[in-house]
Every structure is written in structure tokens, then in C-alpha cells.
Amino acid sequence: MPFPSVLFADPAQRDAVAAQREPACYTDLNLDQIVSSLTAGRRSYQLEPFFYARLTDADAIAYRHEVFRDLEDQALSEGVARFAAGMREMRRRRDQAAKPRHPHQRDSLLVDTAETYCTAVRTLADVLDRADVASRALRSLRAFLAGYVRSEPFDELTEGVRRVRESLASVHYCMTVGAGKVTVTRYAGEADYGAEVLAAFEKFKQEEATSSRVSAPDFLDMNHIEEAVLDRVAMLFPDVFRTLEDFCTRHHDPLDPTVAAFDREVQFYLAYLELADRLRAAGLPLCFPEVSTTSKAVAGRDVFDLALAVKLVDDGTPVVTNDFELRGPERVLVVSGPNQGGKTTFARTVGQLHQLAALGCPVPGGEARLFLCDEVFTHFERGENLADLSGKLKDDLVRVRAILERATPAGLVIMNEVFTSTTLDDALLLGTRVLRKIIERDLLCVCVTFVDELSRLGPATVSMTSTVVPGDPAVRTYRIVRRPADGLSHALAIAEKYRLTYERLTDRITVRTAGRTTS
Amino acid sequence: MKARLLYADRDLDWDAPPVPEAADLTRDLALDTLFDAMADGDDFLRDTARQVVLTSLTEPDAIVYRQRILGDFLRRPGLLTEMYRLVVETIDAEHRIWPTFLRSPTSIMHRAVQAMELYAGRLRELRRIADRYADDVRSPGLVRFLGMLRAELDDACFDVMDEHLRRLRFRNGVMVGARLGQGCKGTGYVLRRPGPRPSWRERLAGQGPPSYTYRLPDRDEAGARALAELRDRGVALAADALARSADHILGFLRMLDRELGFYLACLNLHRKLTAKGEPLCVPTPLPTGRPTLVCHGLYDTCLSLRREERVVGNDVDAEDTALLVVTGANEGGKTTFLRSVGLAQLMTQAGMFVSADSFTAGVRTRLFTHFRREEDEEMESGKLDEELARMSAIADEVTPGALVLFNESFAATNEREGSELGRQITGALLDCGVKVVLVTHLYGLAHGLYAGPPEGKAVFLRAERRADGTRTHRLVPGEPLPTSFGADLYRNVFGEPARTAAGPAPDPPAESPRDAPAPAASDLCPSPDVESSGVRDVTK
């Protein structure tokens, strides 16, 4: 039974993706950071193109959502991860066997290769059998594997591995090293002398003494003395090594191409889920967005900047989530308020949500309804041009024009602090002009600006402002809410800040004491 | 073989990080003075004393175990000094064996054999000391320890050592057992003791087990190195075993060095204090459930160590009392008293003697100090933050059964706020079963606790101040009195009274505190019917 691809309902799309380059918006949206953390430790799979290529129809997205949902079953995703680890180990052994080696050694490494491959495939088949899979991709893979592991060649391979292993494990020998010679014999029950020495002085032992001071070098290469010993071991156990040779002449390349392709492509999901798990562990939700190719009534609840969240979670810092919604004629989120960091993050968040949704991935937030745009355009301040202000304003305008020329009505534009290099009047004028153009084109847009008036351009604009987080003053990000700016600040009772009021202190002591006695 | 001189059933973990409160305890109770006196110039003893004192015992039985060992050593200092000298000399001699910078098994083996030969001689000597003093000791700890030395270090033990040192010369080659690992490389190397060699008759008849020998060609230098490596793999296992055994013995000696060192440090301190005629007593530890403090002539060990003359002691009778509040004039000996309480508690829970005529105290699970930091006064703005951050650090650690000593805490803000903070914090601690000794000049706090103390018994002490204004540095039972400092100052500066008929008063009038409590304190002390005694027992 043929199996297409775990990433593409139509396998022809796979070939188009290979040459995909990083989209221009990735740097501004910090999606480049997300891609590096997703692909870290997975270099050999070359996953980057999969994280660059946008899907263009709802069904292609649904195809991936189905797989993501299936892999939420922890037993299944752990099983697939075990399969992947097995395949990596298999490749490592295969590479080792490929180096020039003593024939017995090369043969034994080929057995290792075959063994890890069989175990990995069986693991995957078993896990899929036991799991309740609903996705088209994994159902089709399950059917393929069920046939494969029951096939005669696969069965013969497994049985061969088992036989060779067993006989190699039975070999136990002794080397007696004298002056200029080494004598090899079968092991005949000689006592463990190191243990005898240790036992004699055991009673002085205080705690685990400094561990072994003598570390022997350990790598696979053999010197000619070891090879001479191995030759003599083979003479002492001739049957064992005949079995080994026979196996290797019969099975030299056991790897199936379909299994190999799945091994690479499923990493797309595993990488993403690994990231999602780290965030979920910190109480940050990811959700499957509802993706529309027609409706621009987008909304998000408890959404957050994925790249920032990854950093904050690593530092143990809490992450503030935000909500947004565009209704009816609304197209442009105008974010204003004091310049304290939360606004840019919010703008990035909206961009990330739309790009990640187009990859068929779950998005950072509790709930999201998104538009399947054809491209995300970003216009962020370029720090390196700060020296030349008039040049900068011109550069800003050039870049904005380029975006407006390229964008179709299905585009999303993220503008962050544009026109800051001029007077307020200018900024108001230019900003109004640009936003009017965006509104005329019916583009979706997030615009971060210090010019309040831009939030009142008409029914298409929605005003969002940053606020101070009440409660824990350790939280440095701000919540962005749909309303005009106000200057509310919250003075915190100093004892409350240190959790030293009567109630808080009593709680701290009793909770910890209870925790100790139960653990 | 365990020395077990500090605990009946375990070793002290010398590598454990100090408890988080150690730095504050050291600073607030001036423990460096104590450690210096115990060390008598020896850094090792200082470190030993520091670690033991800062790792409190929490069971009365464990305390008595150490007290009795210390008692034996005070009666028979010769036993302690002879053993300690032997242990120190042996460790020293071990250090002087030529160290191996080479990690080769052969050089490690050589060094291990030398160390073993040294130990064989010194352990025989240790056994002889044990023989000599066996009948002189009474404490369970030392009776067991000397008995163990005599039983374990018997002649058979020394015979076995000699036998191994002989066999480890490997006259008949090194035999190594192995299995086939990954890539058919040998693995699971085990040094094997060869069985009896086949006789020449068996070998001629070909009856021995099959064997194949590889002989190194002449001038194969790489091969010779490889063969030496293979041999070293075998020797390595024995060298490792022997080196580990030597480590075990060294570990035993090091542990002994530490444990004896603590008692030697105690003897050093004992000598210094008795030399100037200060009284010392064996304290009586009570279980944690009883927050008792009853003492006579309790003085600050560290203050006495810093002075030529003897220092003033205090009497406290606070049986089953969870809250002890000390108020009164500055320079009145309040801080000294608080330190003497903390030191006595630490020394009791280290199994040591205590600076007092008599001392009985409930054992506490942990000891914390929260002292006002004088040197931080310049940074006024951050000071309350700093104090509360330290308090929060204590809150992270404190458990029921602990003891917290407060010295002028929460004074970095105004009296009203400071008192309220103090009230909430001490209230929470007491309600959670934490014992509190509070030195404060916050009248609102002290008076509030006096007028409406938290559940349980509270004792109030006051720094004695004679009518002529001189201080005796003694504490006497007594209710908290308001100061007239603020009102006086106001009057001095403004030349007018601080209180007017209409305006709010920052301080209560000095003359009649009971009749007219200050507005600032009034909401903290709802029942103004105070008694003259310093002891309140309220069971709600």
C-alpha cells in the first residue's frame, strides 16, 4: 500500500518546498528565532523549508491539524520520538560500519544497524496500532507499516539479527598478558580479583569514594593487538563468527525509502510539539486556529509572542497574554500608549499567528480565528539608519511604498513605529495617508504608533492601548486592551509585594509544611 | 567502619552547603569570635567548628549523645589529643607520598601500595591507643568507637592487607576477562585471579583448555605499546580497587580528623572561658514541643571572649513561652541578651556546653536572626525593602518549631507602619508554631503584643535603667514603656509642644502612657487595661 507524505496531502507539493527561502518578514517577527529553536538539535533533517513554505488552501492546513491532533496523544508522540531516536542511532551505526575496519568488526556493526532499524520500525508500527489515530496521514502510514512488518523479508531480517546477537553474547574469554605475548582462552570461572581487593578494605568505606581514577580510552577503533586477540577469539568460537558472516552477506541495505521520508517529515511535528510542551508546562496554551480564506473578522484570545515566551519561560518569568478582535468593517489595529515594550510584542504576535497558521501549526493562544493571508509584510524601524534622520524618513516611505505595491487584498501588514524620525504633524500626516491607503485596499493591518489620532481614522480602525499589570510587579510586559490610553498605575502595598502580610505569611509556612510532610 | 562521634547513626555531611540562614546567623550573633576561639589559630578546626555549630541537632537524645562524649574528653583529654595527633600525622604523611601526575595504572598502583603500607603501620598504632583507654570511657559513643577499633583492627585484618600487597605484584602475568561489546571490541573487562596452572604433563598431552597465543614480533614498538595498554587495562582494575581501598582508609581518617577536631575545638573554648573564671554548664535540652527558656546567669559568649573582664549574665524564667519581648533604653544590653540567647541555643544544639550557670531550653527545628543592619542606614530608601527581602528569605525557610530572633526590625519606616508590619509578621509566625524573641523599640508593636498578645504565653522583659539614668545591662520583667524621644525632639527643634489640643500626636506622652495611649498605637492595643507584671498568659 503506498503512503504519500505526512506533511502533504498532495505529495507533489513536497518537491516545490525544497527550494523555499526564508520569507522577508521572519526577522521582524522574530520567526527566525522560532525556526532556530525548532530546528536546533535537528540539523540533519533540514526542516527549515517546511517552516518557510505557506500552505495555500484550507484542506492542506486541515491535513496537518489532523496529524497534530493525533500526536497530542502522548503515548503516540513518545512512540514516534522513540522511532526517530532509533533511526538516528541506526544512521550512526551505519556510518561507523562504513569506515575501514577489521572484517569481524564491520560485520558486527552492520548487525547493529539492522537491529536498530528493525526495532525502530516495529516500535512505530506497534505504537500506531495501539493508538487511536484519526488523521488521513497516520491512518495511511499505519496501513503501510502493517503490511511492511508482516512481509517475509522484514521477518527474515529480524530473526537473523536475533540469532547473531544471541551467539555473540555467549562469547566470554580471558586474556593473559605476559612479557611480549598475550594468550587467549575461554573463560573458565576465574574469580574477580578487583572485587576481592575491594572487599578486603570495604570496612573503611565512609561514603562513595572518588570514582575510578583510571579511565580507559573508549572508541571503536582497534589496534593490531586487539585485532590479533579478536582473531584468536574467532578461533576459539568458530560457529559464532560463521553465523555473523552469513547474516552480513544476505542483508547489506535494509532501509525502506518510505520509512526514511516519514522519519524526516515527522520531525516537523515533533519539533513543534516539543516547543508547545515547554510552553504548556508553563501554563501557556496553544490552539488550533480556525482559518478562513474569505473572512477578515479575525480574533484571538490569550495570544502571545511565541519567540518571547520561549525566552521568558526559560528564565521562569511570567508571560502576559492578550486578546484582540476585528468585527464588521474593522481592519486595522492601532496600538498606542506609553512606550514600554508591550506594543511591539503584540504586533509581532499578530504577525506570528498568521504565519504559523499558514504552516498548518497550532498557534500561541487560547483561541484564534485567523485569515489565511497570502503574505505577511512587516515594516519595522531599522536601527542602523538612526544617524541620518532625513534619510531614515525617506527609507521608511520607500519601504512602505514597496509593500503597498506588492500587497494583494489578501495580505497582512505589520507596521511598527514608522515615521518616528519626524515631527508629530508629519507623522500624523504621513501615517494617515498610509493607513488610508491600507484601508482602501481592504488589507489587514497592525500599526504601532505614538500618534493617537491614527486610531480614530474611521470604522476600519480599532484603538488598542497598553496598561500596567495589576498584581505581581515582577511582570514587566504589559497587557494591550481595546480602549483609549489612560495613565493608571497601581501602588502596591510593600508588604504584599514581599508576601509578608499575616495571611500570605501564614499561607507560605503552612503550605510548605504540608508539602513537606506529604512528600 | 564509622567513627560516629557526632551522631549515633550517621555522619555529618561535610560537603553540604551551609543552611541559607548561616550567613545572617554568623553576622548577627558574631559567630566569627566563637569560631576563632574554638580554632585557636587552626583553620581546619575553625572550619570544623563552624560546620558543626551551624548544623544544629534537633533531637534532645542526639544532643545528650554529644554532651556525654564531650564529658569523657574533658575528663580524659589525653585520649583526644593522642588520637588526634596520630590521625593528623598519618594524613600528613599520606600527602607527602610522591603524587602521581601520570594517570597510568602502573604509577597509580605504585602509589596505592605505598599508601597501604603506611596505613597498615598507623592503624596498628590507633588500635593500641584504643586498648589503653578502653576502660576509661563512659559515654555510649566512645565505648562503641573504641570497641569497634579493637574488634575491626585485629591481627587477621592486618594479615589480609599484607597478603594482597604481595599478590598485587602479578608474577604470572595479568589475566583479564572480557566479552564482545559493540563492534566486537572487548568489553566488561574484569581482572581475574587465574586458577591453578595446568601441569607440564597436562600441557604435553594437550589436555589443558584450548588456548591461542599471539607473540609480539621483534621491534614492533607500536605493538609493545598496545600490549602494555592491554596489560594496563588489567592492572587498572586492580590499581583502581587498591586506590579506592586506600581512599576508603583515608576517608575514615579524614572523618575521624573532622569529628575529633570538633571536640578539640570545644576543649579550646572551654579552656579560654574557664581561665577567666566564666561559668559554663551542660544545658538541658527539651523536646521541640516545649518552647521553654529558663536560665540563670546567661551571658554572651562572644562578648566575654572579646573582653578581659567577666560579663553580666541574665536570668530568664520563660517556661513554655512562645513569645519573648524585650524593650527598654538603648545601650541597655538588649542586643547582647538577644545574642546570648541565640548563641546558647546554637551551642546547645551543637552538643556543647553553654555560657550560663544553668540553661534549659526547648530544642528548635531551625534558628533565624533578623537584625537591623546599621551599616545600611545611608541607603534609606531601599532599607525597608532590604529588611523585608531578608524577612521574605526567612519566610521561605521557616517551619513550625523554629526560633526567630528579631533585633530592632521593621524600624526603617515610621512607627505606625513598622508596628503594623511587625504585628502581622510576629502574629503569623506565632500562629504557625514559630517561637519569637523580639527586641524592639517600636512601642506600638510591643505594647500591642502586651495588651493583646497572640495565643499562648508571652514574657516581657525590659532593659533596666536606674532612676539616675545609668544602665545595669540587666533585663528585668516588665511591661513595655513608651519613650518620650520624639516629643522631646520636636519640642527641642520647634520650641513648641508636639501635641496640641487639635493636632494628632506622633508619640504618647511620657508621663502617663496608660491613660493616654498615642493615637498611632491606639488601634493596635484595643484593651488598655495592662498589668504591671511582664508575664501575660492568654489562652483564647
Side-chain angles (χ1 to χ4, degrees):
Chain A
M1 179 170 299
F3 165 65
S5 160
V6 75
L7 285 176
F8 302 100
D10 172 9
Q13 289 175 340
R14 186 200 277 162
D15 307 326
V17 164
Q20 188 76 38
R21 309 288 290 271
E22 181 179 281
C25 66
Y26 270 42
T27 310
D28 286 339
L29 296 181
N30 287 346
L31 279 164
D32 55 342
Q33 295 173 20
I34 297 173
V35 172
S36 353
S37 60
L38 286 168
T39 54
R42 292 184 158 84
R43 287 270 160 261
S44 59
Y45 295 109
Q46 299 177 325
L47 298 175
E48 287 84 354
F50 299 136
F51 287 113
Y52 296 152
R54 306 170 61 86
L55 301 175
T56 49
D57 62 278
D59 185 61
I61 290 173
Y63 190 78
R64 289 189 186 176
H65 281 188
E66 290 168 16
V67 177
F68 270 117
R69 279 184 213 278
D70 275 349
L71 289 173
E72 271 172 11
D73 174 0
Q74 203 173 345
L76 179 60
S77 67
E78 280 171 6
V80 174
R82 272 203 307 283
F83 157 77
M87 293 294 280
R88 273 196 300 279
E89 180 62 15
M90 185 275 293
R91 283 191 292 277
R92 196 176 66 83
R93 308 264 171 116
R94 198 182 50 190
D95 295 349
Q96 283 176 342
K99 291 183 186 167
R101 295 195 178 277
H102 187 282
H104 292 323
Q105 193 177 36
R106 188 195 55 231
D107 286 355
S108 99
L109 289 170
L110 286 174
V111 177
D112 290 351
T113 309
E115 185 181 35
T116 44
Y117 173 69
C118 291
T119 314
V121 170
R122 240 175 233 295
T123 305
L124 184 60
D126 285 356
V127 162
L128 283 170
D129 257 356
R130 258 175 284 134
D132 185 19
V133 296
S135 63
R136 283 167 278 171
L138 293 182
R139 276 170 180 271
S140 152
L141 175 70
R142 178 165 68 185
F144 165 79
L145 282 179
Y148 178 57
V149 297
R150 271 195 288 275
S151 68
E152 200 178 316
F154 188 81
D155 189 57
E156 206 183 289
L157 185 66
T158 335
E159 179 53 26
V161 165
R162 197 193 55 74
R163 246 190 345 265
V164 177
R165 275 266 155 269
E166 216 172 72
S167 51
L168 283 174
S170 69
V171 174
H172 193 178
Y173 60 97
C174 284
M175 297 165 281
T176 306
V177 186
K181 62 172 186 179
V182 53
T183 302
V184 186
T185 51
R186 296 185 186 205
Y187 168 70
E190 290 88 352
D192 179 344
Y193 185 52
E196 285 183 8
V197 173
L198 268 187
F201 301 101
E202 179 71 25
K203 61 182 168 191
F204 295 102
K205 185 169 174 175
Q206 298 299 303
E207 71 279 351
E208 238 0 272
T210 28
S211 67
S212 174
R213 324 174 150 213
V214 182
S215 59
D218 206 28
F219 43 90
L220 278 176
D221 297 338
M222 291 206 282
N223 59 46
H224 67 286
I225 298 297
E226 289 174 289
E227 291 183 347
V229 168
L230 180 55
D231 285 336
R232 278 154 188 79
V233 172
M235 285 155 80
L236 285 169
F237 300 90
D239 296 349
V240 170
F241 286 84
R242 203 171 306 119
T243 318
L244 176 61
E245 270 174 43
D246 288 352
F247 176 86
C248 292
T249 39
R250 295 178 61 139
H251 310 282
H252 45 269
D253 185 17
L255 183 57
D256 180 274
T258 307
V259 174
F262 172 77
D263 179 38
R264 178 190 173 206
E265 292 178 358
V266 78
Q267 290 297 323
F268 172 87
Y269 297 100
L270 295 184
Y272 203 84
L273 286 171
E274 204 172 276
L275 192 71
D277 279 349
R278 268 163 72 193
L279 297 169
R280 283 208 185 105
L284 292 169
L286 268 75
C287 69
F288 290 102
E290 188 187 308
V291 183
S292 167
T293 47
T294 51
S295 166
K296 291 184 180 174
V298 300
R301 188 175 54 72
D302 284 336
V303 298
F304 56 92
D305 177 340
L306 190 58
L308 180 64
V310 168
K311 276 190 201 144
L312 294 180
V313 164
D314 285 350
D315 302 345
T317 312
V319 174
V320 169
T321 61
N322 283 301
D323 302 343
F324 68 90
E325 182 169 16
L326 291 179
R327 291 177 284 241
E330 295 165 356
R331 293 291 179 269
V332 182
L333 294 165
V334 180
V335 189
S336 60
N339 196 12
Q340 280 163 327
K343 293 177 295 175
T344 304
T345 299
F346 174 77
R348 278 203 185 100
T349 304
V350 177
Q352 286 176 10
L353 289 173
H354 281 88
Q355 180 67 21
L356 293 171
L359 298 177
C361 291
V363 297
E367 215 177 306
R369 193 172 66 231
L370 303 170
F371 176 66
L372 183 56
C373 44
D374 61 1
E375 188 167 353
V376 179
F377 299 93
T378 54
H379 184 285
F380 277 46
E381 202 169 22
R382 291 281 146 90
E384 61 266 35
N385 289 339
L386 269 174
D388 179 3
L389 287 185
S390 68
K392 186 169 179 300
L393 181 62
K394 187 180 165 198
D395 175 62
D396 273 351
L397 285 167
V398 168
R399 284 164 57 211
V400 167
R401 200 185 72 182
I403 289 172
L404 289 172
E405 277 171 2
R406 278 182 50 207
T408 73
L412 166 64
V413 180
I414 313 281
M415 289 199 296
N416 187 40
E417 303 283 16
V418 280
F419 312 134
T420 51
S421 54
T422 185
T423 62
L424 180 62
D425 284 349
D426 272 3
L428 175 57
L429 178 72
L430 296 173
T432 308
R433 285 288 162 86
V434 170
L435 275 192
R436 288 247 181 260
K437 281 186 187 298
I438 284 173
I439 294 164
E440 277 165 29
R441 302 273 192 91
D442 199 34
L443 288 166
L444 280 177
C445 176
V446 181
C447 175
V448 176
T449 179
F450 63 101
V451 185
D452 288 359
E453 289 84 344
L454 294 184
S455 67
R456 297 188 285 270
L457 289 186
T461 55
V462 172
S463 171
M464 309 270 296
T465 66
S466 52
T467 56
V468 179
V469 178
D472 193 344
V475 181
R476 298 224 170 134
T477 48
Y478 290 82
R479 193 168 249 278
I480 310 291
V481 297
R482 184 175 172 133
R483 69 170 182 212
D486 60 21
L488 272 188
S489 71
H490 300 255
L492 295 163
I494 197 150
E496 181 65 33
K497 171 175 160 189
Y498 285 98
R499 298 179 295 138
L500 289 173
T501 56
Y502 177 86
E503 285 77 14
R504 301 292 290 269
L505 183 53
T506 312
D507 280 356
R508 284 170 80 177
I509 299 172
T510 47
V511 163
R512 203 178 50 252
T513 312
R516 248 176 225 174
T517 49
T518 53
S519 63
Chain B
M1 234 167 82
K2 300 284 192 178
R4 298 277 191 253
L5 295 179
L6 292 178
Y7 298 91
D9 53 356
R10 62 192 171 94
D11 299 326
L12 193 137
D13 179 2
W14 299 99
D15 296 325
V19 286
E21 60 270 28
D24 281 346
L25 284 174
T26 305
R27 179 175 178 166
D28 296 338
L29 300 181
L31 292 181
D32 281 332
T33 307
L34 179 75
F35 299 147
D36 286 342
M38 294 178 79
D40 203 18
D42 182 329
D43 287 344
F44 177 81
L45 289 185
R46 188 182 199 285
D47 182 61
T48 304
R50 185 181 55 80
Q51 293 207 49
V52 178
V53 169
L54 288 173
T55 311
S56 289
L57 299 172
T58 51
E59 295 296 331
D61 287 349
I63 293 171
V64 172
Y65 182 81
R66 274 191 208 169
Q67 286 176 346
R68 296 199 55 192
I69 292 176
L70 181 56
D72 269 342
F73 282 142
L74 282 167
R75 280 189 310 106
R76 290 279 181 274
L79 170 60
L80 177 60
T81 49
E82 280 178 51
M83 278 202 293
Y84 188 73
R85 192 182 310 123
L86 177 76
V87 168
V88 170
E89 281 173 4
T90 310
I91 292 174
D92 205 41
E94 196 271 348
H95 282 317
R96 269 177 289 147
I97 299 177
W98 192 250
T100 68
F101 299 113
L102 298 170
R103 307 311 279 167
S104 89
T106 309
S107 59
I108 289 171
M109 175 69 106
H110 181 67
R111 191 181 191 283
V113 168
Q114 277 186 290
M116 277 302 194
E117 281 165 353
L118 167 74
Y119 295 147
R122 296 308 174 92
L123 291 175
R124 279 189 174 95
E125 182 64 28
L126 186 62
R127 220 269 307 271
R128 281 194 282 275
I129 297 176
D131 287 344
R132 220 159 44 238
Y133 283 94
D135 296 332
D136 284 349
V137 295
R138 295 171 202 162
S139 61
L142 281 176
V143 167
R144 185 206 144 271
F145 174 63
L146 296 187
M148 179 197 70
L149 288 182
R150 300 175 79 198
E152 295 283 349
L153 299 177
D154 56 354
D155 295 340
C157 158
F158 294 115
D159 288 347
V160 169
M161 271 172 110
D162 294 345
E163 162 71 15
H164 281 295
L165 290 174
R166 188 183 55 74
R167 189 180 284 161
L168 286 167
R169 287 175 205 144
F170 296 114
R171 280 214 201 83
N172 299 323
V174 175
M175 185 187 234
V176 187
R179 291 176 176 278
L180 293 177
Q182 208 199 343
C184 283
K185 285 265 285 191
T187 187
Y189 290 106
V190 174
L191 182 66
R192 295 285 173 192
R193 184 153 53 77
R197 290 155 66 83
S199 69
W200 62 270
R201 196 185 291 274
E202 282 172 317
R203 273 184 279 169
L204 273 184
Q207 285 167 343
S211 76
Y212 296 98
T213 298
Y214 174 79
R215 281 174 201 286
L216 207 60
D218 287 341
R219 290 193 204 80
D220 177 1
E221 282 174 25
R225 269 199 306 277
L227 197 61
E229 247 171 52
L230 193 60
R231 181 184 192 278
D232 267 358
R233 272 187 181 257
V235 173
L237 298 159
D240 191 45
L242 195 68
R244 273 210 275 179
S245 301
D247 281 349
H248 286 163
I249 296 180
L250 183 62
F252 170 73
L253 292 171
R254 286 221 167 102
M255 185 64 80
L256 204 51
D257 191 20
R258 283 285 190 185
E259 301 198 351
L260 292 171
F262 169 68
Y263 291 103
L264 195 65
C266 289
L267 259 59
N268 286 341
L269 179 65
H270 195 274
R271 199 175 55 242
K272 285 186 179 133
L273 290 168
T274 47
K276 60 183 286 196
E278 292 282 22
L280 293 170
C281 72
V282 179
T284 308
L286 301 178
T288 309
R290 301 196 48 195
T292 287
L293 173 65
V294 177
C295 61
H296 293 284
L298 174 67
Y299 62 94
D300 179 346
T301 315
C302 296
L303 183 65
S304 175
L305 286 169
R306 284 194 301 269
R307 291 199 178 168
E308 292 287 318
E309 68 275 19
R310 293 183 48 190
V311 295
V312 179
N314 274 297
D315 300 344
V316 178
D317 184 4
E319 210 173 320
D320 296 319
T321 304
L323 172 65
L324 204 62
V325 180
V326 185
T327 59
N330 289 334
E331 302 295 317
K334 290 177 301 189
T335 301
T336 300
F337 169 73
L338 195 63
R339 286 208 180 104
S340 71
V341 170
L343 275 167
Q345 194 76 33
L346 267 185
M347 289 166 75
T348 297
Q349 297 195 212
M352 297 169 68
F353 40 78
V354 159
S355 296
D357 295 314
S358 74
F359 186 82
T360 301
V363 170
R364 308 309 298 172
T365 52
R366 299 274 284 268
L367 173 62
F368 300 91
T369 50
H370 190 269
F371 278 37
R372 183 177 182 187
R373 292 282 157 79
E374 303 296 341
E375 56 267 51
D376 295 335
E377 267 180 345
E378 288 163 27
M379 327 181 328
E380 270 309 325
S381 66
K383 190 144 181 288
L384 185 63
D385 265 301
E386 185 275 331
E387 271 196 21
L388 290 177
R390 264 192 295 134
M391 185 61 226
S392 185
I394 292 174
D396 282 337
E397 295 289 329
V398 76
T399 47
L403 167 61
V404 185
L405 308 179
F406 288 103
N407 191 26
E408 306 287 17
S409 301
F410 322 120
T413 178
N414 62 54
E415 158 129 13
R416 187 197 173 99
E417 280 184 8
S419 294
E420 178 59 17
L421 267 175
R423 187 187 67 79
Q424 296 216 12
I425 290 170
T426 47
L429 291 174
L430 290 167
D431 286 354
C432 290
V434 177
K435 177 170 173 150
V436 173
V437 181
L438 182 72
V439 167
T440 186
H441 67 249
L442 292 172
Y443 177 74
L445 174 59
H447 192 268
L449 290 167
Y450 186 77
E455 195 163 335
K457 193 173 147 190
V459 167
F460 291 79
L461 300 174
R462 210 162 64 201
E464 192 175 44
R465 183 187 182 191
R466 298 223 176 87
D468 59 2
T470 57
R471 276 84 159 148
T472 63
H473 301 290
R474 276 183 190 282
L475 301 178
V476 293
E479 63 179 290
L481 293 178
T483 69
S484 56
F485 183 74
D488 290 350
L489 191 63
Y490 186 89
R491 207 166 22 240
N492 287 346
V493 173
F494 289 89
E496 59 183 70
R499 264 171 289 277
T500 60
D507 281 306
E511 308 78 41
S512 53
R514 297 189 206 164
D515 306 326
S522 62
D523 53 344
L524 297 173
C525 38
S527 57
D529 58 323
V530 291
E531 300 160 23
S532 58
S533 153
V535 181
R536 295 293 305 261
D537 190 352
V538 177
T539 308
K540 290 171 190 166

